[in-house]
Amino acid sequence: MSEPTEFLWYVPNQVVAGHRGDAAVEGHNSLDTLTRHALALEAHGWKGALIGAGWGRPDTFTVATALAARSTSFEPLIAIRPGYWRPAQFASAAATLDHLSGGRVRINIVSGKDQLAAYGDSEGDPAQRYARTREFIHLVRRLWTEEGVTYRGEHFGVENATVQPRIEVRGTRRHPTIYFGGASEAAERVSATEADVQLFWGEPRDGIEERIERLKALSRGLDRDLPPLRFGLRVTTLVRDTTEEAWADAEAKVAQMARGAAPGEPDRAQAVGQRRLLRLHERGEVLDDNLYTTPGKYGGGGAATTWLVGSAQDVARSLRKYQALGITHFVLSDTPYLHEIRRQGEQLLPLLRDAAA
């Protein structure tokens, strides 16, 4: 039986309005505004949305809890950081929200750079950072699936810990799905052993295919004792009525970015995965069929570094090619966010569902 394909969006929980070209309106991060996003996602066929994390942003777990309370099927993919949370406290909070929301919680573990000292955290070198992340995920999963857990690790420990309420098993879902990203060797070892879904940025298909095969081999070599690792893609999708209109809008957006941003910001280039994305424009402005690499030269970071550009048919065709490589979890977005939830929900998702049927 093939893995079902899921489509999620992105909710911009930001202090400052205008994230990635979104409309800079009053109350952009109010509960009413963000609820409109969640309800529009429900109405237009999306499974849920990623809610990003980082010091200096509204607390992600709080935002997710509020949106879950105001919606009925919206599933928040909650980004959280080891160090900001302790494993037992996080496992308890997530189990509680999963119970109250009827099993709608998903978790994205983030192990990248952050203002650690601002909230009293510290890390060593990347190997130590990812070792801590691996231990965090391992312990959280045990707390969700076992009772009376005693664990003594290098970074964390608990004694006779039982999280209440217990996570309700729902079909094959034993606990909230755990997503993880990262392109370094240390990060891939975390995914291969502990994650449920490895998230990739919008790389060309040959790079994604190579990484999928490497992660599968790594899982076998490390004796993964969980269900097979699944794979997801987090990418910007710029969809318009025609191919020509999409490229005209994409180039206009990049021109506006170029007027206000310096290329190659050094802090964004520290992560291995981000460096991979920033180097893509050296191979060409457009890779594969319609992967636009130029935004990364002018301030686009993370999912905004590369864009899939075109008509709904163009973008759906490209996403289906990623799906053929083994991608089953898609996290898409474009700005203005609320408008694009509706447009892409009406134009893009039906094409993807027809192909998956």
Side-chain angles (χ1 to χ4, degrees), residues 96-298:
T96 300
L97 182 55
D98 200 65
H99 166 70
L100 294 174
S101 67
R104 287 189 278 143
V105 172
R106 299 165 183 244
I107 301 300
N108 180 31
I109 305 291
V110 180
S111 200
K113 295 293 183 181
D114 195 16
Q115 300 177 50
L116 304 181
Y119 51 87
D121 190 24
S122 62
E123 291 176 342
D125 58 25
Q128 182 182 15
R129 172 157 50 99
Y130 284 109
R132 181 175 78 160
T133 298
R134 180 175 175 177
E135 196 173 296
F136 181 95
I137 300 173
H138 176 79
L139 181 52
V140 166
R141 192 191 305 274
R142 286 192 61 189
L143 289 163
W144 281 342
T145 58
E146 302 175 24
E147 298 184 25
V149 176
T150 295
Y151 177 85
R152 288 287 178 267
E154 181 182 353
H155 303 280
F156 304 111
V158 296
E159 184 172 346
N160 195 29
T162 299
V163 166
Q164 296 287 0
R166 304 301 297 156
I167 297 284
E168 180 180 342
V169 176
R170 301 170 186 272
T172 60
R173 180 189 186 270
R174 298 180 63 215
H175 56 70
T177 302
I178 299 172
Y179 295 67
F180 184 72
S184 68
E185 180 180 353
E188 288 191 343
R189 293 178 73 87
V190 174
S191 282
T193 53
E194 298 295 344
D196 297 319
V197 177
Q198 161 76 41
L199 275 180
F200 301 119
W201 297 123
E203 295 187 42
R205 293 189 296 272
D206 58 357
I208 297 287
E209 183 176 25
E210 175 188 346
R211 292 191 63 198
I212 287 175
E213 293 308 312
R214 184 168 64 248
L215 282 158
K216 287 181 176 179
L218 193 58
S219 294
R220 292 190 296 268
L222 295 172
D223 294 325
R224 176 185 173 93
D225 61 356
L226 300 170
L229 181 64
R230 292 166 284 169
F231 303 99
L233 183 71
R234 170 73 184 103
V235 67
T236 294
T237 45
L238 193 151
V239 173
R240 299 294 184 267
D241 291 340
T242 67
T243 303
E244 294 74 19
E245 182 185 354
W247 280 106
D249 281 5
E251 290 167 358
K253 278 191 172 188
V254 166
Q256 184 176 8
M257 292 166 63
R259 288 192 292 270
E265 298 173 23
D267 60 328
R268 293 191 297 111
Q270 289 180 358
V272 172
Q274 184 66 75
R275 288 202 304 269
R276 287 169 65 99
L277 290 184
L278 291 172
R279 287 198 299 265
L280 288 177
H281 73 267
E282 299 170 3
R283 293 171 50 182
E285 284 196 312
V286 182
L287 302 178
D288 290 342
D289 307 302
N290 56 342
L291 185 67
Y292 193 28
T293 67
T294 308
K297 293 174 62 178
Y298 301 110

Side-chain angles (χ1 to χ4, degrees), residues 295-313:
K297 293 174 62 178
Y298 301 110
T305 310
T306 57
W307 307 345
L308 287 172
V309 177
S311 66
Q313 291 77 11

Side-chain angles (χ1 to χ4, degrees), residues 283-355:
R283 293 171 50 182
E285 284 196 312
V286 182
L287 302 178
D288 290 342
D289 307 302
N290 56 342
L291 185 67
Y292 193 28
T293 67
T294 308
K297 293 174 62 178
Y298 301 110
T305 310
T306 57
W307 307 345
L308 287 172
V309 177
S311 66
Q313 291 77 11
D314 297 332
V315 173
R317 190 178 305 116
S318 293
L319 293 175
R320 287 196 296 268
K321 290 179 180 179
Y322 283 105
Q323 187 178 2
L325 299 178
I327 301 294
T328 56
H329 292 66
F330 292 90
V331 184
L332 312 178
S333 67
D334 191 24
T335 57
Y337 292 109
L338 185 56
H339 181 272
E340 291 304 314
I341 287 171
R342 296 165 178 153
R343 185 211 302 266
Q344 296 193 32
E346 293 171 357
Q347 297 183 12
L348 180 62
L349 288 190
L351 299 177
L352 296 168
R353 289 208 188 84
D354 290 345

Side-chain angles (χ1 to χ4, degrees), residues 27-147:
H28 72 100
N29 64 350
S30 70
L31 180 55
D32 285 345
T33 296
L34 296 180
T35 297
R36 284 196 290 274
H37 286 237
L39 297 180
L41 287 162
E42 290 185 337
H44 290 84
W46 301 91
K47 191 75 171 177
L50 171 65
I51 307 176
W55 186 251
R57 299 170 69 168
D59 178 74
T60 309
F61 204 93
T62 304
V63 171
T65 300
L67 295 183
R70 285 203 169 188
S71 58
T72 55
S73 64
F74 169 78
E75 298 189 12
L77 174 52
I78 308 168
I80 67 103
R81 293 175 180 271
Y84 183 93
W85 288 90
R86 301 283 296 178
Q89 286 78 8
F90 171 72
S92 176
T96 300
L97 182 55
D98 200 65
H99 166 70
L100 294 174
S101 67
R104 287 189 278 143
V105 172
R106 299 165 183 244
I107 301 300
N108 180 31
I109 305 291
V110 180
S111 200
K113 295 293 183 181
D114 195 16
Q115 300 177 50
L116 304 181
Y119 51 87
D121 190 24
S122 62
E123 291 176 342
D125 58 25
Q128 182 182 15
R129 172 157 50 99
Y130 284 109
R132 181 175 78 160
T133 298
R134 180 175 175 177
E135 196 173 296
F136 181 95
I137 300 173
H138 176 79
L139 181 52
V140 166
R141 192 191 305 274
R142 286 192 61 189
L143 289 163
W144 281 342
T145 58
E146 302 175 24
E147 298 184 25

